Amino acid sequence: MAWPDPGKMIFTKAIVRTPCRNIINGLTTTNLGPPDYEKVINQHQQYIKALEKCDLEVLVLDADEDYPDSTFVEDTALLTPYCAVIANPGAFSRKGEIIKIERVLRDYFTNIERINEPGSLDAGDILKVENHYYIGLSERTNKEGTDQLVNILMSYGSTCSTLSLEKALHLKSGVAFLGNDNLVATGEFVSKSEFQDFVILRIDADEECAANCVLVNDNVLIPMGFPNTKKSIESAGYQVIEVDVSEFRKLDGGLSCLSLRF
Ligand code: CIR
């Protein structure tokens, strides 16, 4: 079957989930302490405004107290121009998040695919570069999950490659594609052979959190408080919108994790 050329991704919609009060019990590898719920809600609202500024219609799902990490919706599904792939989160406490997300995605996608046990996959481990998908093998995404995803994506005419993560939680914790061959990268990703054909905008260790930025139509959303990253992305010709996600960072979350864009 011939599938349409993905071309430059123009997003029109985003799905976010209101953080639940139970977010204070979310998974974390940091020692930054629990997030402050009021600040969390405030930052989430600013995040929604930033997406709207990028001309996205934002669907805001209700908070789900059963799942402390459920505001990090990006991990639950991979949305492509051809299908939605429902992930199978690698962390046990997050597995059930996919049930409600699938119900929502059914309104927007005809083709729904799934990663099944024993495969596990967090969609934060997938970096889309036009019609090619880089898939990170991480603590959350295993070989079986990766193999299933490769089969699914290839059946829609896409290409894939996999790479192993050494330290980062998710692939997109440390790398972002900004179009025009530009890749923002930090830490272990700067020297990965898979990325050497890109123009790498290198983010130094003191601003490593800022590598989790997102191109949304004509803007790049970056986390607030990282002046060198801001300068470097602006110098590459992008319009930047800063969003404060410091409370989410306490749970290893960043900008991309907070929405599904399509
Ligand atoms: C977790 O550990 O699953 C959440 N606390 C953070 C998820 C962040 N998601 C992402 O980087 N794609």
Side-chain angles (χ1 to χ4, degrees):
M1 187 180 300
W3 298 98
D5 182 341
K8 183 192 167 200
M9 283 297 284
I10 303 284
F11 298 119
T12 58
K13 296 184 179 59
I15 296 172
V16 302
R17 185 178 288 289
T18 304
C20 60
R21 288 193 174 273
N22 204 10
I23 192 170
I24 53 168
N25 294 313
L27 299 169
T28 188
T29 61
T30 78
N31 53 8
L32 298 172
D36 174 303
Y37 188 63
E38 257 180 51
K39 286 188 192 157
V40 163
I41 290 294
N42 188 276
Q43 291 185 359
H44 198 253
Q45 283 165 354
Q46 297 308 314
Y47 180 75
I48 293 170
K49 280 194 188 140
L51 292 176
E52 288 172 343
K53 225 174 166 178
C54 300
D55 295 326
L56 299 193
E57 183 192 325
V58 183
L59 175 65
V60 184
L61 305 177
D62 290 342
D64 185 348
E65 295 295 342
D66 292 340
Y67 297 100
D69 287 295
S70 52
T71 195
F72 301 114
V73 283
E74 179 182 58
D75 293 320
T76 60
L78 172 71
L79 306 185
T80 82
Y82 323 117
C83 66
V85 184
I86 309 300
N88 183 15
F92 185 71
S93 65
R94 302 199 60 189
K95 293 224 181 260
E97 290 178 27
I98 57 174
I99 295 168
K100 287 186 186 157
I101 284 290
E102 176 168 350
R103 275 185 216 141
V104 174
L105 293 176
R106 286 202 167 280
D107 287 341
Y108 299 97
F109 289 82
T110 319
N111 298 324
I112 305 256
E113 309 284 352
R114 234 170 249 98
I115 303 299
N116 297 306
E117 294 289 340
S120 72
L121 182 127
D122 279 14
D125 275 324
I126 301 151
L127 176 72
K128 180 180 185 306
V129 174
E130 287 153 12
N131 201 23
H132 186 83
Y133 293 81
Y134 292 93
I135 310 169
L137 276 160
S138 69
E139 277 190 17
R140 302 285 178 87
T141 298
N142 65 17
K143 169 89 170 60
E144 176 63 30
T146 302
D147 289 347
Q148 289 180 29
L149 183 64
V150 169
N151 281 333
I152 293 167
L153 293 173
M154 283 177 59
S155 75
Y156 288 93
S158 302
T159 55
C160 302
S161 45
T162 58
L163 60 153
S164 295
L165 272 55
E166 285 134 41
K167 286 193 197 136
L169 176 64
H170 289 118
L171 176 59
K172 273 187 288 190
S173 311
V175 63
F177 179 60
L178 300 187
N180 300 327
D181 289 342
N182 290 324
L183 198 76
V184 174
T186 193
E188 63 188 279
F189 302 110
V190 172
S191 54
K192 285 270 184 215
S193 56
E194 289 84 353
F195 296 143
Q196 296 316 304
D197 288 340
F198 290 97
V199 176
I200 293 188
L201 307 182
R202 183 199 170 116
I203 308 296
D204 289 334
D206 57 338
E207 295 202 0
E208 65 180 4
C209 302
N212 182 260
C213 52
V214 205
L215 175 71
V216 186
N217 299 337
D218 293 330
N219 300 286
V220 179
L221 304 191
I222 68 163
M224 190 170 281
F226 300 97
N228 296 333
T229 303
K230 182 168 186 273
K231 214 182 287 167
S232 148
I233 295 179
E234 281 176 343
S235 306
Y238 296 94
Q239 199 167 295
V240 161
I241 299 179
E242 284 180 287
V243 188
D244 190 358
V245 285
S246 54
E247 292 305 304
F248 298 99
R249 202 143 55 233
K250 294 175 178 173
L251 300 179
D252 298 314
L255 279 168
S256 74
C257 333
L258 290 170
S259 61
L260 284 164
R261 303 156 297 276
F262 58 109

